[in-house]
Amino acid sequence: NCVCRRGYQVDSVRAMCVKNEKKPGKDGEAVDEVRPAPKQGTLSITLVEAKHLPKMDTHTKCDPFVVVTLGNQTKKGKVVKKTYNPTWEQSMTLSYSEAHETPQTVMFEVYDWDKIGADDFIGSARLVLPLLDMPIELDLNPITLLNRKGKAAGRVEGVVALCAKEH
């Protein structure tokens, strides 16, 4: 049960107070403006492969995996053992809703899995999303990973498909 200050009303979809915007109707009376429902949908990502990942461990090859973040959601891909050129062929789906905060980017972070101790950060790439109200499919052919010093640390390839839900 929200109570808003004068000039504001409860937006039940977003669960917050929003400015009460009145527009003059045909008869001159003020009427509530019709607001569109918030944008929501799914983002399907197919991670295909990575190439030319750097050596992270002294005595063994890389054991890479990907962490994908959209807004406050995170999905972790499978670990591929002992390779600098992993093939994942793995799909994951994340959902979004403008009712919270509309995500503007997808973050891809690649790590080297370690049996003992913390996993080593290899690199990351950020994909800026187009408008979230239309379906689109984007090929990642390929996007370059950058390490913490901003230097190239391999490439990731895949497909990102954005599907908006109808209201």
Side-chain angles (χ1 to χ4, degrees), residues 64-108:
F65 67 93
V66 177
V67 175
V68 179
T69 304
L70 174 71
N72 60 359
Q73 296 176 79
T74 300
K75 298 265 179 139
K76 179 182 172 185
K78 66 183 178 187
V79 175
V80 178
K81 299 280 191 159
K82 299 180 181 168
T83 182
Y84 299 113
N85 300 297
T87 299
W88 288 292
E89 294 292 341
Q90 180 180 9
S91 294
M92 52 184 72
T93 302
L94 300 118
S95 59
Y96 64 88
S97 171
E98 191 182 67
H100 297 97
E101 181 179 326
T102 306
Q104 310 250 334
T105 59
V106 179
M107 175 66 84
F108 298 90

Side-chain angles (χ1 to χ4, degrees), residues 43-166:
L43 186 73
S44 299
I45 297 170
T46 302
L47 297 169
V48 177
E49 64 186 355
K51 299 221 181 226
H52 310 297
L53 297 178
K55 184 174 178 82
M56 300 301 290
D57 297 323
T58 308
H59 302 293
T60 61
K61 286 188 175 182
C62 216
D63 301 317
F65 67 93
V66 177
V67 175
V68 179
T69 304
L70 174 71
N72 60 359
Q73 296 176 79
T74 300
K75 298 265 179 139
K76 179 182 172 185
K78 66 183 178 187
V79 175
V80 178
K81 299 280 191 159
K82 299 180 181 168
T83 182
Y84 299 113
N85 300 297
T87 299
W88 288 292
E89 294 292 341
Q90 180 180 9
S91 294
M92 52 184 72
T93 302
L94 300 118
S95 59
Y96 64 88
S97 171
E98 191 182 67
H100 297 97
E101 181 179 326
T102 306
Q104 310 250 334
T105 59
V106 179
M107 175 66 84
F108 298 90
E109 296 173 297
V110 179
Y111 292 87
D112 177 25
W113 176 83
D114 285 332
K115 189 174 186 175
I116 301 171
D119 299 326
D120 299 319
F121 175 78
I122 295 174
S124 64
R126 189 178 302 264
L127 177 65
V128 177
L129 296 173
L131 296 173
L132 292 177
D133 56 358
M134 53 196 266
I136 190 167
E137 189 169 291
L138 305 168
D139 283 329
L140 308 177
N141 22 292
I143 56 174
T144 301
L145 298 168
L146 299 177
N147 64 19
R148 287 198 169 96
K149 293 180 181 178
K151 305 240 184 223
R155 301 184 314 235
V156 174
E157 295 185 32
V159 177
V160 175
L162 184 65
C163 181
K165 286 185 186 172
E166 293 297 321

